Amino acid sequence: MNIPIEHTDPVNARILAVSEDRLQGFLRDPVGEIVRRSGVDSETVISRIRAMLRAGTIRRVRQTLMSTNLAPGALVAWQVPNEKVDEIFDFMFQRDPFSGHVVVRSTDSETAGSQYRLWTTLKVPDGFSMEMHCRLLMEKTGALAFRLMPAKSIFALGVGHVRRKSLEPGSKADVPAEPQKVEFVRLSPLEWRVLVPLKREFESEEFRENLWEARAEEAGVTLEKFFEVAEGLNRKKVIGRFSTFLEHVKPSKSGERVTKFNALFHWAVPFGRELEAGREVGRHHIMTHAYWREGGPDFKNVNVMGVAHGTEKEMVHKHKVAIDEHLKAIGIPISYTNIFWGGRSEIKPSEIAPIEYEKWCRSIGVDPGKMRETS
């Protein structure tokens, strides 16, 4: 029996419309929640997600974390020699467990920040320095310069590419997005014991009913204790969503793409109005990510950023124009704006466990003590 593996299959689309980004927080029975919300029976949900995962339509299934609350993080723009773009890209993706998204970006014309061609997201575990980490990466790769841009506030964070496909430009929520503060949380040894298996992605055969039984056993605790600790982590706001992540850049086995274009939008708004502007950007349904980040002089003091995806470049641009017009209509002036289009890209979860950072440092001949944050 051939099981459909494309995201466009009607049954798969019903499942994915829920499983991509609708399962917020920790759930004791995420499979059951997908069944309830999609109206698709349990056996079909499990078989379809397994098949899509094996085929690469879904690139991973995992419990996400609000890792900005667990480890210092930033968007990093890199200046790299043109002849070394691919080599440095490969190093960041393959050899640095703490760099997550790795994307080559370009603008439609030479403008502020165009010299920054490689973009990554970075997390370093508690106690270690992002600045030192980036300097180490410069030494190892030959990158020329970097700009660290930590998030000061988050206004949108979710995927949902399937349900976003039919959005009209300007589609937005009735009210502005609620900002999420970046508040660091330290965990106990027991919480880390549970968190490490909790966050690891599922292989296709692991995706079944009673998902968490094996993970509780791995953590060395009872299932009830696993639930208790996970729900405590949820209350501490370090748990994100349970998600099936689509492969949205590369084509599937049949050549279909979930999206073709990804765009990093930049806006510079007046000092003191960053939260207001971010909430207005974040309420637009097309935005998968929206943040308050400081770009500095190299990026004409950009302070609100966001990411949108689409299958047609013109439509992605229309969404951006609709947001620009909305900001102007409500009296938020924009002194500068731009789009950084994504090219080659790879995505992986950033490692955030302190013990893994120490292991990695030693594996490349670096004393972990030299990488620690200094007060």
Side-chain angles (χ1 to χ4, degrees):
M1 176 183 175
N2 290 327
I3 300 175
I5 59 170
E6 296 299 345
H7 72 279
T8 50
D9 173 83
V11 173
N12 289 348
R14 284 168 62 190
I15 293 168
L16 292 166
V18 174
S19 66
E20 274 199 277
D21 69 342
R22 292 305 203 192
L23 305 177
Q24 295 296 321
F26 174 78
L27 299 170
R28 292 189 175 206
D29 183 16
V31 175
E33 193 63 16
I34 297 171
V35 169
R36 186 183 71 81
R37 296 196 194 188
S38 69
V40 180
D41 67 89
S42 178
E43 182 179 349
T44 302
V45 165
I46 291 170
S47 65
R48 293 298 183 93
I49 289 179
R50 282 181 173 181
M52 286 188 281
L53 188 55
R54 285 194 294 265
T57 305
I58 293 173
R59 71 176 186 271
R60 62 176 57 93
V61 178
R62 65 183 290 258
Q63 177 70 59
T64 69
L65 307 177
M66 293 300 294
S67 53
T68 49
N69 292 347
L70 287 168
L75 180 65
V76 190
W78 297 89
Q79 285 189 44
V80 299
N82 287 338
E83 68 276 11
K84 297 189 73 175
V85 171
D86 287 335
E87 178 186 336
I88 296 175
F89 182 107
D90 290 338
F91 186 98
M92 302 290 197
F93 177 62
Q94 298 171 5
R95 300 179 59 188
D96 181 22
F98 311 95
S99 292
H101 294 57
V102 184
V103 186
V104 176
R105 293 195 179 276
S106 61
T107 54
D108 289 330
S109 60
E110 290 296 316
T111 185
S114 296
Q115 70 272 31
Y116 289 89
R117 295 194 58 202
L118 186 64
W119 295 69
T120 64
T121 56
L122 175 67
K123 299 283 189 304
V124 295
D126 180 25
F128 296 97
S129 165
M130 287 193 291
E131 179 81 20
M132 292 295 293
H133 189 88
C134 287
R135 292 191 179 283
L136 176 62
L137 291 180
M138 283 183 66
E139 177 186 322
K140 295 291 184 182
T141 66
L144 304 174
F146 63 89
R147 170 71 185 177
L148 277 167
M149 294 173 273
K152 293 191 170 185
S153 197
I154 302 168
F155 308 102
L157 188 60
V159 280
H161 298 303
V162 168
R163 63 182 176 81
R164 283 184 167 91
K165 276 180 171 289
S166 58
L167 287 176
E168 290 295 321
S171 173
K172 59 183 180 297
D174 293 337
V175 295
E178 284 300 318
Q180 303 172 43
K181 291 182 179 179
V182 179
E183 298 177 320
F184 183 71
V185 177
R186 282 194 167 85
L187 303 184
S188 70
L190 174 60
E191 287 171 323
W192 275 112
R193 272 175 57 197
V194 169
L195 190 72
V196 169
L198 175 73
K199 71 183 178 68
R200 196 179 66 255
E201 61 192 72
F202 289 88
E203 299 295 332
S204 60
E205 295 311 309
E206 291 182 291
F207 190 79
R208 56 171 71 98
E209 293 181 335
N210 304 315
L211 270 180
W212 302 118
E213 286 182 350
R215 300 296 169 95
E217 184 176 347
E218 181 182 337
V221 297
T222 65
L223 183 59
E224 190 57 37
K225 174 58 74 173
F226 186 92
F227 287 157
E228 178 186 320
V229 174
E231 287 165 351
L233 292 169
N234 200 46
R235 288 190 294 274
K236 289 184 175 183
K237 298 182 180 180
V238 299
I239 302 293
R241 64 187 183 276
F242 187 90
S243 182
T244 58
F245 290 86
L246 288 173
E247 176 50 75
H248 60 273
V249 176
K250 300 170 187 173
S252 69
K253 288 184 177 180
S254 68
E256 287 197 41
R257 293 177 184 267
V258 176
T259 67
K260 188 176 180 181
F261 296 95
N262 83 80
L264 174 64
F265 298 158
H266 279 190
W267 294 275
V269 302
F271 176 79
R273 302 192 72 179
E274 298 92 346
L275 277 175
E276 181 187 0
R279 295 183 71 198
E280 294 297 336
V281 169
R283 76 191 289 184
H284 283 77
H285 296 138
I286 195 62
M287 302 305 298
T288 59
H289 302 72
Y291 304 93
W292 171 6
R293 298 184 189 274
E294 299 287 347
D298 279 1
F299 293 96
K300 290 195 175 180
N301 298 312
V302 159
N303 45 20
V304 176
M305 303 182 186
V307 176
H309 298 257
T311 53
E312 298 176 10
K313 185 175 183 178
E314 182 182 0
M315 182 57 74
V316 175
H317 192 269
K318 285 181 178 179
H319 280 287
K320 166 67 165 51
V321 170
I323 298 172
D324 293 349
E325 291 176 348
H326 172 70
L327 292 175
K328 292 172 185 175
I330 61 173
I332 300 178
I334 303 168
S335 60
Y336 168 78
T337 186
N338 209 339
I339 301 176
F340 283 74
W341 297 99
R344 184 187 178 193
S345 66
E346 294 285 359
I347 301 171
K348 66 183 188 294
S350 296
E351 180 56 70
I352 57 170
I355 191 171
E356 295 301 324
Y357 195 83
E358 294 182 3
K359 289 179 183 177
W360 178 77
C361 286
R362 294 189 183 99
S363 75
I364 60 172
V366 173
D367 178 2
K370 294 183 178 179
M371 304 299 291
R372 292 200 172 274
E373 192 76 65
T374 56
S375 54

